[in-house]
């Protein structure tokens, strides 16, 4: 199989990089180290180290929700973000980073207000979206900027 047919996906649970055939994304591929599902249409919680690995090198676009537990709009948007994750399964991975637990990451990313959504593709930031949004807006945002 040519290398171009495989995507690098970082496991949100253990941080291990995995090579996954593009044609197998719909088959719920698992991490070769810890067995966690890599593409399951669910939102994964990131820590600082895994955030950097995922945003700098994943083969699928990654949308990160920068949030905090005390933020009302963040809590309101959480179920909408989860709906969008399910709808975008196989197209993009949706993940969350708690800015209260990881202030150094939010400072480095230039987060000035939350919730803040940043879309990463091929190791670079490609677009931002501020404020709580319904699932339809999140899906449209990813599809517009992920290509």
């Amino acid at each position: 199989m040519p290398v171009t047919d495989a995507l690098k996906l970082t496991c949100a649970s253990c941080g291990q990089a995995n090579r996954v055939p593009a044609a197998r994304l719909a088959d719920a591929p698992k991490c070769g180290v810890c067995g966690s599902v890599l593409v399951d249409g669910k939102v994964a919680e990131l820590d600082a180290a895994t955030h950097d690995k995922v945003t700098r090198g994943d083969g699928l676009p990654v949308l990160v929700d920068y949030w905090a537990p005390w933020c009302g709009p963040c809590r309101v948007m959480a179920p909408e973000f989860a709906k969008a994750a399910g709808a975008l399964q196989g197209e993009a991975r949706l993940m969350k980073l708690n800015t209260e637990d990881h202030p150094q990451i939010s400072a480095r990313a230039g987060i000035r207000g939350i919730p803040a959504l940043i879309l990463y593709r091929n190791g670079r930031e490609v677009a931002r979206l501020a404020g709580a949004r319904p699932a339809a807006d999140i899906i449209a945002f990813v599809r517009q900027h992920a290509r």
Side-chain angles (χ1 to χ4, degrees), residues 29-111:
K30 294 183 179 180
C31 175
V33 172
C34 73
S36 294
V37 178
L38 298 169
V39 181
D40 61 0
K42 295 181 182 172
V43 177
E45 184 74 36
L46 297 173
D47 62 19
T50 307
H51 171 274
D52 290 347
K53 288 179 182 179
V54 168
T55 58
R56 290 183 182 154
D58 261 29
L60 281 177
V62 177
L63 181 65
V64 179
D65 173 16
Y66 296 87
W67 71 287
W70 51 261
C71 169
C74 297
R75 289 194 316 267
V76 168
M77 188 179 74
E80 295 298 305
F81 196 70
K83 284 182 204 171
L88 292 166
Q89 182 177 350
E91 294 178 61
R93 298 171 77 196
L94 275 63
M95 303 185 173
K96 298 174 84 70
L97 181 96
N98 183 334
T99 59
E100 191 170 276
D101 290 345
H102 305 289
Q104 72 283 11
I105 299 291
S106 59
R108 191 175 69 217
I111 303 299

Side-chain angles (χ1 to χ4, degrees), residues 10-17 50 53:
T10 304
C11 178
S13 297
C14 73
Q16 176 65 40
T50 307
K53 288 179 182 179

